[in-house]
Amino acid sequence: MKSIAVIGGGITGVTTAYALAKRGFQVTLFEQHRYAAMETSFANGGQLSASNAEVWNHTSTILKGLKWMLKSDAPLLVNPKPSWHKISWFAEFIANIPNYRTNTIETTKLAIAARDHLFAWAEAEGVDFDLKRQGILHIYRDKKGFDHAAEVTQMLAQGGLTRRAVTPEEMRAIEPTLAGTYFGGFYTESDATGDIHKFTVGLAAAAERLGVKCLYGQDVTDLHSDGTQATVTAHDAEGAHTRTFDGLVVCAGIGSRDFAAQLGDRVNVYPVKGYSITVNLPDAASQQAAPTVSLLDDETKLVTSRLGLDRFRVAGTAEFNGANRDIRADRIRPLTQWVNQCFPGINTRQVVPWAGLRPMLPNMMPRVGAGKRANVFYNTGHGHLGWTLSAVTADMVAEQVHQASVQRAPRVMPAMASA
């Protein structure tokens, strides 16, 4: 395999294209929008958070979902309208509860490994993405939440992550702008934050410098593979085009499920909507009142990141409502209220709302690797940790493509010595 098509220009597609190009492949990236990172990779919470590696396959998640089903502003909201996709997804989600500990530890290992790749790539390519390496502080208002976090910390430690408990006094020392009363917290100094959109756009430009052909405005409709060659049919302003490649990698977010079905594979991705607000900090008072250390509020399921001097990002919640992209006021309002409560000195007159659909698999683990066809691969289903895990899964799938290419390369017989 020499020529590879990458389907999707979000964080996983761009990192995959970059990792493949670094290995010498001729890469063509297909993206439906005019630019990279215009969907789920546009305005997420900004955290590169190994400390958030806990998977959701826990009995408490099911109980909270049932409890909050009719509460429109709940951190976890499930539309009760049934569909076969949703039912099958939740059945597999429940079936993976016994794997909660194992998958949390494995995710932690992946997240730690991803850091080295991501930071090295950004440094090598000169990508500026408002990186802050000041750690992440998890905050808890009661003993129950704090005690559960202590159990999670033990699993994170098994995965190689150091996270320490902190008192309310230590929390105020770590982030003096945080208002409110708390039972305690956990602080991970090695975590970081940044702007995922700026990073993805910057890495896409770096990939193009390495020879990646980025085709934007491409509505990919059909994928096909016979195991030796793969075809990609896409529509653009000039009509439909079918291109042939030696192999392809599907990194299409919530679209990965349908593409996989065309290729004879099952990738049970479900769209889980998350919301964010970007609070513009137009004055010195707001800039001083906004935190510089990233936070994760476990009770409200919200995360924060400081993006440069004049932007503050708050994101989170999970909504199971199919491929609905509506930005609902009743889901955005709690985010703004949270800012007003925890950081009352911030001026929230200039708030930009956003919503994105996280591609989640029932076991909360990304699908990374080969499909049924010898030249088809997947790097998708990263859920709430798409940016955190993207660099390592891109490197993993690129290496698998490389190994498959080596195995398929024709053997050259040595020349016979003359008599």
Side-chain angles (χ1 to χ4, degrees):
M1 289 185 287
K2 292 295 183 183
S3 61
I4 305 293
V6 174
I7 313 301
I11 184 64
T12 54
V14 169
T15 51
T16 298
Y18 179 82
L20 286 165
K22 293 283 282 185
R23 285 169 168 78
F25 288 96
Q26 300 167 9
V27 183
T28 301
L29 182 143
F30 292 82
E31 166 55 37
Q32 63 179 330
H33 294 286
R34 291 179 63 190
Y35 316 100
M38 293 304 292
E39 291 230 359
T40 310
S41 302
F42 185 75
N44 76 349
Q47 290 188 334
L48 293 162
S49 51
S51 61
N52 197 20
E54 179 190 10
V55 299
W56 298 2
N57 305 87
H58 195 276
T59 305
S60 63
T61 306
I62 302 297
L63 297 177
K64 288 175 182 177
L66 294 172
K67 175 184 175 182
W68 291 334
M69 189 170 288
L70 300 179
K71 188 179 179 186
S72 63
D73 61 351
L76 172 63
L77 183 64
V78 180
N79 186 332
K81 183 178 180 180
S83 71
W84 172 247
H85 186 192
K86 188 189 299 181
I87 292 171
S88 70
W89 193 94
F90 273 110
E92 290 183 49
F93 178 90
I94 293 171
N96 272 283
I97 289 178
N99 302 322
Y100 162 76
R101 176 176 290 274
T102 300
N103 286 348
T104 294
I105 294 170
E106 181 59 28
T107 303
T108 306
K109 294 177 180 178
L110 289 173
I112 293 172
R115 291 174 180 163
D116 294 337
H117 294 292
L118 188 142
F119 293 146
W121 293 350
E123 183 176 358
E125 303 296 346
V127 179
D128 177 14
F129 60 104
D130 294 326
L131 173 65
K132 279 189 178 295
R133 302 182 70 169
Q134 294 182 225
I136 294 178
L137 176 63
H138 289 226
I139 61 178
Y140 300 92
R141 293 176 173 81
D142 55 41
K143 185 177 185 299
K144 181 179 179 181
F146 183 85
D147 288 345
H148 176 74
E151 296 174 1
V152 173
T153 299
Q154 294 179 5
M155 289 185 281
L156 299 177
Q158 291 184 49
L161 185 72
T162 299
R163 184 171 85 158
R164 62 184 174 91
V166 290
T167 65
E169 292 74 21
E170 291 173 314
M171 291 170 61
R172 282 189 286 272
I174 293 168
E175 184 44 71
T177 64
L178 177 63
T181 302
Y182 303 93
F183 183 87
F186 283 85
Y187 182 49
T188 311
E189 296 179 74
S190 57
D191 277 341
T193 60
D195 187 324
I196 186 175
H197 181 74
K198 291 179 69 174
F199 176 85
T200 308
V201 170
L203 195 69
E208 289 188 282
R209 291 194 296 269
L210 290 174
V212 173
K213 187 176 183 180
C214 292
L215 300 180
Y216 296 110
Q218 303 289 316
D219 181 15
V220 176
T221 56
D222 296 287
L223 302 179
H224 180 266
S225 168
D226 62 6
T228 301
Q229 287 189 324
T231 59
V232 178
T233 301
H235 296 254
D236 58 20
E238 299 178 357
H241 305 272
T242 298
R243 297 174 174 86
T244 302
F245 303 90
D246 295 321
L248 62 85
V249 186
V250 176
C251 309
I254 67 167
S256 300
R257 178 172 178 260
D258 290 340
F259 286 136
Q262 293 182 13
L263 296 164
D265 295 309
R266 184 173 184 272
V267 180
N268 195 16
V269 166
Y270 191 87
V272 180
K273 191 194 297 185
Y275 292 85
S276 80
I277 57 173
T278 302
V279 184
N280 292 318
L281 308 172
D283 52 72
S286 292
Q287 292 166 10
Q288 292 173 4
T292 56
V293 172
S294 178
L295 305 172
L296 190 151
D297 186 339
D298 194 64
E299 181 179 327
T300 59
K301 307 302 181 188
L302 296 180
V303 305
T304 75
S305 57
R306 182 70 177 269
L307 304 176
L309 178 65
D310 58 359
R311 291 186 300 152
F312 178 47
R313 177 75 49 76
V314 179
T317 75
E319 182 179 313
F320 290 79
N321 194 21
N324 181 293
R325 290 177 169 83
D326 294 345
I327 301 176
R328 295 171 44 177
D330 58 348
R331 304 291 285 161
I332 291 293
R333 191 178 303 113
L335 278 65
T336 306
Q337 291 173 341
W338 185 90
V339 175
N340 293 334
Q341 292 168 1
C342 296
F343 303 97
I346 294 179
N347 184 327
T348 53
R349 291 178 181 173
Q350 298 183 23
V351 172
V352 181
W354 174 84
L357 301 177
R358 311 179 187 100
M360 284 194 173
L361 287 162
N363 64 354
M364 305 298 292
M365 303 291 289
R367 170 70 182 270
V368 184
K372 290 181 180 178
R373 307 291 198 278
N375 60 346
V376 172
F377 301 83
Y378 296 90
N379 184 21
T380 189
H382 295 64
H384 69 297
L385 292 176
W387 192 20
T388 296
L389 302 179
S390 60
V392 71
T393 60
D395 194 67
M396 290 165 59
V397 77
E399 181 59 25
Q400 291 184 36
V401 174
H402 171 69
Q403 292 299 329
S405 176
V406 170
Q407 292 171 7
R408 289 176 57 187
R411 294 183 179 181
V412 178
M413 297 299 292
M416 294 293 292
S418 58

